Amino acid sequence: MFSMVDPNAVGRRVACDGERGTVRFVGTVPPTAGLWLGVEWDNPDRGKHDGSHEGVHYFTCRHPKGGSFVRPKKASFGVDYLTAIRRRYEMEVQQVLGEEIQISTRTVEMVGFEAITEKQKVENLTDVALRLCEVSSPGPANEIRNTTPHVLMLDLCGNLLCCWDDVMAVTEQMEELKELQLSHNRLRVPSNPTVRPRAFSCLRVLSLTNCALTWPQLLECAPMWPLLEELYVSENDITELQKPNNVLQSLTVLDLSTNPLVDRTVLSIDSVNDYFITSSEGCNTAMFPALKILAVNSNNISEWSVINELEKLQSLVRLSCRQNPLLSQERNPATAMQLLIARVGRLEALNRWTDRRGAELDYCKMFGLEWLASGGHRDPQQNRPSAEFTSQHPRYQSLIQKYGAPEDSELKKQEPFALKNQLLSESSSLLLNSMIVQKVKGLLYRLLKIPSAELKLSYTSSKMEGKEIEIDNDLKPLQFYSIEDGDKVLVRWL
């Protein structure tokens, strides 16, 4: 902790009462006396204002209540890497070596080998975990190379590093480093990302979860990671995905979960813009040629055209797409999974869904009428679906070639199944009315051999002609919906 505030403290990272933030202002704040630090907190709930006090604006925050003023003596500016190593590892050794061990009836004190054992333990570390240790700088030049030279995995999550230059000053002394955890930090983009070419020369795995990063900032940093294979950037500020020209081409895993991504940034049919996937319709993109696993959970994806674009990623075999508006548009989650896996031909797993054949066959049936109406035909010589249909369903033609066109009986729109007419006598209707919806679906499963997850119930009443009411709560009895004698319970399935 500084007894006096460094004149270059603006931009530095601080910790205070378990919270981390960035110094945005150093100076006096009238009418109070003395020096203050204006801090923008990582957690905006820790703040009180936007950097203003009594009408005077001292600094700027991203969040309207993400800032506050603190006295310098209450803020910690952190420690260097070597100090953190000593605190974390050498003190552990000293504690162990200072203990007395009881062997049978004799007490043995471990002494004599302390210096050698302590030094060897630290030098031989391959995994270094300094999470939440307030690391803010590398320390004396070249000392890291002498202290922890064999590190393969380094965890610096939730520390006080303020720029990539400081990170590189640490990692360039770890020539074997393959995995770096930097989540929950706030790092300034370097002015020259390639100034230290050895800093990440062997790096394969990088985690940058919750670092307030945008995609353009990541692309600026990407030249630093020439061999990167796995990139985890969930919970950031990624709203757009521009083309990674000549960078990130060795990625096999990309996690973009919990970002405010919108459809237009992923969707790119024509090749004149700079968005994520650009290639001619029906062709593979040259972007991310090695990408096998993509996670886009908890984003704002709401259009199937975005999923169509993912078909262009030539190596994609696993996709995770949970909690997107796109999936909630389908009443049946199983149907949404079928549509997803049918639209991306190379997927081997999607949110644990693996039945490709069934998904593709149902997809063909589901859009068969639309295909015929657009100009599709079972005779290959007359099969000319419209450009609009092909754009909306780019894989449909290849699926028809693979399985053949659906039969007419499969394309006919199914009429609702009238539950009362098919299952009940007048004397048993009262019993059914008292059953919960889940049990009714179980009864239907035994009769129709259709999984309950694929069944959708509704009913019509003579008192509300022309209106169909959905039965959407499996835990309620049918009588909850005020179904009366003479009403019809309708059953639909895929």
Side-chain angles (χ1 to χ4, degrees):
M1 185 181 295
F2 290 359
S3 57
M4 297 182 62
V5 178
D6 187 333
N8 298 317
V10 172
R12 294 286 302 277
R13 301 276 290 158
V14 293
C16 181
D17 298 328
E19 298 284 352
R20 296 179 302 280
T22 303
V23 178
R24 301 298 186 196
F25 168 81
V26 178
T28 58
V29 182
T32 63
L35 207 61
W36 291 92
L37 301 178
V39 179
E40 180 182 11
W41 300 102
D42 295 358
N43 175 13
D45 293 337
R46 167 65 174 82
K48 299 178 180 179
H49 50 70
D50 64 350
S52 301
H53 179 69
E54 295 190 357
V56 179
H57 198 72
Y58 292 92
F59 62 97
T60 301
C61 292
R62 295 171 39 180
H63 192 277
K65 289 193 175 181
S68 67
F69 295 101
V70 297
R71 293 295 189 182
K73 65 180 181 180
K74 290 188 176 181
S76 168
F77 283 84
V79 298
D80 62 49
Y81 172 89
L82 294 170
T83 300
I85 282 287
R86 285 193 292 271
R87 289 179 179 177
R88 171 71 175 82
Y89 291 99
E90 295 183 2
M91 288 179 65
E92 286 184 2
V93 175
Q94 291 169 359
Q95 289 170 358
V96 171
L97 293 174
E99 289 180 355
E100 293 182 339
I101 300 178
Q102 188 79 25
I103 301 178
S104 185
T105 59
R106 299 178 60 190
T107 298
V108 179
E109 186 177 358
M110 296 179 65
V111 295
F113 301 100
E114 179 173 343
I116 295 175
T117 306
E118 181 178 317
K119 184 174 185 295
Q120 285 181 340
K121 175 179 173 65
V122 175
E123 282 187 356
N124 293 332
L125 286 173
T126 57
D127 290 5
V128 170
L130 295 177
R131 182 174 296 225
L132 299 174
C133 288
E134 297 190 1
V135 178
S136 61
S137 63
N142 294 318
E143 282 301 308
I144 293 175
R145 182 177 285 107
N146 298 327
T147 307
T148 53
H150 304 299
V151 177
L152 301 177
M153 191 287 295
L154 175 61
D155 185 346
L156 290 173
C157 294
N159 277 283
L160 300 180
L161 296 159
C162 64
C163 61
W164 278 100
D165 292 313
D166 287 343
V167 177
M168 289 189 283
V170 172
T171 59
E172 71 176 352
Q173 301 179 60
M174 301 173 176
E175 297 180 0
E176 303 172 51
L177 185 67
K178 288 182 170 54
E179 180 177 346
L180 179 59
Q181 304 283 335
L182 282 174
S183 298
H184 304 280
N185 282 291
R186 299 292 184 268
L187 301 169
R188 291 196 302 273
V189 176
S191 56
N192 184 356
T194 59
V195 69
R196 300 175 188 258
R198 300 178 62 182
F200 306 106
S201 59
C202 294
L203 192 66
R204 299 296 193 275
V205 180
L206 177 60
S207 178
L208 293 168
T209 297
N210 196 340
C211 288
L213 289 166
T214 65
W215 188 254
Q217 288 173 336
L218 278 168
L219 293 185
E220 284 187 63
C221 296
M224 295 189 292
W225 319 312
L227 301 179
L228 195 64
E229 295 176 358
E230 300 182 22
L231 178 59
Y232 300 89
V233 287
S234 61
E235 300 177 32
N236 278 287
D237 296 332
I238 300 173
T239 60
E240 58 180 349
L241 294 175
Q242 297 170 336
K243 288 193 299 184
N245 290 321
N246 302 316
V247 293
L248 303 180
Q249 295 302 288
S250 57
L251 278 188
T252 60
V253 179
L254 177 59
D255 187 354
L256 294 165
S257 299
T258 320
N259 277 288
L261 273 174
V262 293
D263 295 321
R264 67 176 181 82
T265 67
V266 182
L267 177 62
S268 177
I269 293 296
D270 62 76
S271 58
V272 297
N273 58 39
D274 283 332
Y275 285 132
F276 183 48
I277 303 173
T278 59
S279 67
S280 301
E281 187 173 326
C283 301
N284 292 334
T285 176
M287 299 299 102
F288 297 119
L291 189 64
K292 294 181 179 180
I293 302 173
L294 176 64
V296 288
N297 302 311
S298 303
N299 279 277
N300 295 324
I301 297 173
S302 60
E303 296 182 11
W304 286 110
S305 50
V306 172
I307 305 302
N308 293 340
E309 287 298 300
L310 299 182
E311 166 70 5
K312 297 175 182 178
L313 294 170
Q314 55 188 281
S315 299
L316 188 66
V317 293
R318 294 185 63 183
L319 174 66
S320 188
C321 192
R322 297 182 180 90
Q323 296 179 320
N324 276 283
L326 179 71
L327 303 184
S328 62
Q329 292 172 7
E330 297 294 329
R331 292 182 178 180
N332 189 338
T335 302
M337 293 300 101
Q338 284 183 312
L339 291 173
L340 275 163
I341 203 166
R343 288 174 183 266
V344 185
R346 299 178 187 85
L347 288 186
E348 297 172 1
L350 166 69
N351 300 351
R352 299 181 181 178
W353 182 283
T354 57
D355 183 12
R356 170 160 296 283
R357 177 181 172 82
E360 291 179 339
L361 285 171
D362 284 342
Y363 180 76
C364 290
K365 298 171 187 177
M366 193 177 304
F367 296 99
L369 287 174
E370 190 177 335
W371 169 66
L372 291 173
S374 74
H377 201 282
R378 291 184 178 83
D379 184 349
Q381 302 298 322
Q382 302 180 53
N383 182 22
R384 298 183 182 86
S386 67
E388 181 181 1
F389 179 85
T390 303
S391 174
Q392 294 174 353
H393 305 279
R395 292 200 70 226
Y396 198 88
Q397 290 291 90
S398 64
L399 294 178
I400 292 298
Q401 294 174 5
K402 181 178 180 179
Y403 299 111
E407 298 296 328
D408 286 340
S409 59
E410 296 174 310
L411 296 176
K412 288 180 181 177
K413 202 168 184 179
Q414 293 187 3
E415 293 296 326
F417 181 86
L419 180 61
K420 181 176 177 182
N421 290 346
Q422 299 295 330
L423 294 180
L424 301 177
S425 66
E426 200 66 33
S427 61
S428 61
S429 61
L430 183 61
L431 175 62
L432 181 69
N433 209 25
S434 65
M435 291 175 65
I436 66 170
V437 173
Q438 191 174 43
K439 288 187 176 181
V440 173
K441 287 185 175 181
L443 183 63
L444 286 164
Y445 170 71
R446 291 193 291 273
L447 178 73
L448 303 173
K449 305 303 181 187
I450 296 172
S452 60
E454 298 183 14
L455 296 173
K456 292 295 178 183
L457 305 187
S458 59
Y459 78 94
T460 59
S461 172
S462 57
K463 294 182 178 179
M464 296 180 286
E465 191 170 347
K467 186 174 182 181
E468 188 173 326
I469 297 127
E470 185 177 359
I471 300 173
D472 55 2
N473 191 329
D474 285 1
L475 301 180
K476 297 290 186 181
L478 283 180
Q479 63 191 11
F480 171 80
Y481 294 92
S482 302
I483 298 175
E484 299 178 352
D485 191 30
D487 294 346
K488 280 188 177 181
V489 175
L490 306 176
V491 183
R492 291 183 173 85
W493 62 92
L494 296 178

